[in-house]
Structures are given as structure tokens and as C-alpha cells.
Amino acid sequence: MPTPAEDPADALYALEPDRFVAERAALVAALRAAGDRAGAARVRALRKPTRAAWAVNAAVRADAAAAGELADAASALQAAQEGVLAGGEAAELRAAELRARAAADALAAAAPATDGATADKVRATLRAATVDPAVLAEVVDGRLVREQVASGFGGFGGMAAELPASAPPPSPRADRAAKAGAASAGAVRAGAAAAEQERAAEEERLGRERVEREAAAEAEREAAERQAAEREAAERRERLRVAREKEAAAEQAVAAARGELEQAEAALAARREQLDAAERRLADARERREQAED
């Protein structure tokens, strides 16, 4: 199975969803501080995963072997479907479907414990990955953002059960009877297939509506979190501005005090020179007095 590319942003998708936004902001800040503005913009655009999508990402990281089996089973299922359309054996398709479902369930078992609805979304997403290459690519990359649903089982739901296995050619009389019965059975199957398609379409519609509602709610939460982060950043900028102003004022005070000290030291040096001169004059005067006394 291909492993996710080495990327600092990859660690974000290993986090639980409630930590995603704060860690993403920290990573963006670190990249900006390092001068990588393009990388910061790319990370800022990363979407927070839903709970079910996070569980799928966690399962892929927890059980790489199960994720690899899912990818292999999906490839085998696609090959079996193409083989049946080309006139191949239905038994191969049945076996491939069973393997794909087992692979999806095995990887779902590696996901973190979640509530029942989320667990159902995890299984639905992994089964969708076995029939949709785009979903499979997101899953094995470990950066799934939204749960996914598939209409039927890749357009082949129940197909293997309806297709007969290979058998010896029938006798002419049995062949005529089989054809007569097949016409009636075909009509029944056609009606059942139409009903199944309608049911699958309705399930898909309901699933997509649910995903859209959850996506809208998630977008609102992200907007609120983004606004909170922007307010916090603005407050930090204001605190930094005030601190810089205080620092500048303190530097000016230090400079003024240093200037006054230098003036005082210069005046003291002048006073010391005057004192030295006066002491020299005093010494000369004393020497002359002593000479006069002698």
C-alpha cells in the first residue's frame, strides 16, 4: 500500500478533530516564521476532517496491512467486474465482492471506538473505497476529509447472485423450458432490479443530503473557530504593540539618563582638574613660605 508522503501537514490528520484547527494554526505560524509562505498557505487551506473521516484516517495508520488488503481487494473486484462484462465466470465476481467486503470490515475494525452512526459511516466509506478509485486514493493517503457513500456496490450490487455459474449445455427440450421460464423470471428480475435501483438512488440521495448537512455544520464550526483564532491573533498583536511602545519609551529614558550621566562625568572631570590645579598652587605657596621662613 502506498504510504502518505512525508509532510509536516500529514500529522494533522492523525489528530482528533477537536485538536485540528489549533494545531493547524500553530503549523501555519511556524511555516510563516520560517519564511515558507507558500507552505503556510497550503496548510491553511487544509480542511478539518469529520469524526468519521478521522476514524478512517486513524484506521489506515493503525493497520497498514488491512489498508493494503483493501486496496488489493478493490483492484481484484474491478478486474472481476470487467471479467463478468466480458463473459467471465460469476463465481469470480462473487468471491471478489466477498473479499472486498471483508477487507472493508477488517479495516473498519481497526478504527477508534465511535458511536454507532459514526461507525456506520466508517464502514460505508470503506465499502465505497472498494468500488470508487477516487475514494480509495483518499482513504489510503490517510487524509480523508469527508465520509463517502456508494450507490449500490459499484453498480454491480447483487449481480453475482443473479448470474448463473457455468454448467453443462442443456438438452433441446430443457433449453426450450428454460427459455420460457427465463422470460418470466427475467421480467421479475427486471422489476426487482428497477426497485433496487430506486432504493439505492434514494439511499444515495439521503446519504448525500446528510453529508451536505454535516458539511454545512462543520463549515459553520470552522468559521467560528477561525474567527476566534483571528480575534486571539489580533489581541496578541495589540499586546505586542503596547509592549513595543513601552520598550521604546524605556529605551528613550535610558538614553536620556545616559546622556545626563555623561554630562555629569564631564563636569566632574573638569572639577577634578580645577582641584588638582588649586592643590598645586597651594603646594607652591607653602614651599615659598617655608623658604622665606628659613
Side-chain angles (χ1 to χ4, degrees):
M1 184 198 74
T3 56
E6 292 294 334
D7 190 326
D10 185 62
L12 292 174
Y13 288 90
L15 300 172
E16 291 198 17
D18 57 0
R19 295 179 54 197
F20 185 90
V21 173
E23 295 294 336
R24 180 182 62 190
L27 180 54
V28 168
L31 290 171
R32 285 178 177 170
D36 187 1
R37 293 190 172 276
R42 180 176 57 80
V43 171
R44 185 69 187 84
L46 295 176
R47 299 295 304 277
K48 175 183 173 181
T50 64
R51 191 76 182 173
W54 163 76
V56 171
N57 294 337
V60 169
R61 287 174 170 79
D63 196 336
E69 169 60 12
L70 182 74
D72 292 343
S75 178
L77 178 58
Q78 181 180 1
Q81 290 171 346
E82 293 172 352
V84 167
L85 291 177
E89 295 292 335
E92 294 182 2
L93 178 56
R94 283 195 296 272
E97 285 184 345
L98 291 174
R99 178 186 176 187
R101 288 179 183 272
D105 292 344
L107 188 54
T114 56
D115 58 81
T118 301
D120 290 342
K121 293 175 184 177
V122 169
R123 284 191 294 271
T125 297
L126 293 175
R127 290 190 176 181
T130 64
V131 296
D132 188 331
V135 176
L136 179 64
E138 285 190 78
V139 167
V140 299
D141 191 45
R143 291 191 181 187
L144 189 68
V145 175
R146 295 281 181 269
E147 57 270 18
Q148 301 291 335
V149 293
S151 176
F153 200 65
F156 284 80
M159 179 177 180
E162 294 180 4
L163 289 173
S166 60
S171 66
R173 180 177 296 175
D175 185 43
R176 286 192 299 272
K179 288 179 179 178
S184 176
V188 173
R189 285 197 299 271
E196 174 63 19
Q197 288 178 353
E198 291 179 1
R199 183 193 63 77
E202 179 65 11
E203 287 182 354
E204 180 181 10
R205 183 184 66 79
L206 293 175
R208 294 193 183 282
E209 288 180 355
R210 182 178 65 252
V211 169
E212 289 172 359
R213 287 194 300 272
E214 292 174 351
E218 183 65 24
E220 290 180 1
R221 285 194 294 272
E222 286 190 0
E225 292 170 349
R226 185 165 54 251
Q227 290 175 356
E230 289 173 353
R231 284 195 300 270
E232 183 179 352
E235 291 173 357
R236 285 198 301 269
R237 288 194 296 270
E238 178 62 17
R239 290 196 296 269
L240 178 60
R241 183 189 65 79
V242 172
R244 285 176 174 171
E245 288 181 352
K246 290 182 178 179
E247 181 184 9
E251 287 178 348
Q252 291 177 355
V254 168
R258 183 176 290 114
E260 292 176 356
L261 176 61
E262 290 174 353
Q263 292 177 357
E265 288 176 344
L268 178 61
R271 291 295 184 185
R272 283 176 176 168
E273 290 179 357
Q274 292 174 359
L275 176 60
D276 290 343
E279 287 178 344
R280 286 194 298 272
R281 288 194 298 274
L282 175 60
D284 291 343
R286 284 176 177 172
E287 183 179 357
R288 286 193 297 271
R289 178 184 58 78
E290 290 175 353
Q291 289 176 356
E293 289 177 349
D294 292 342

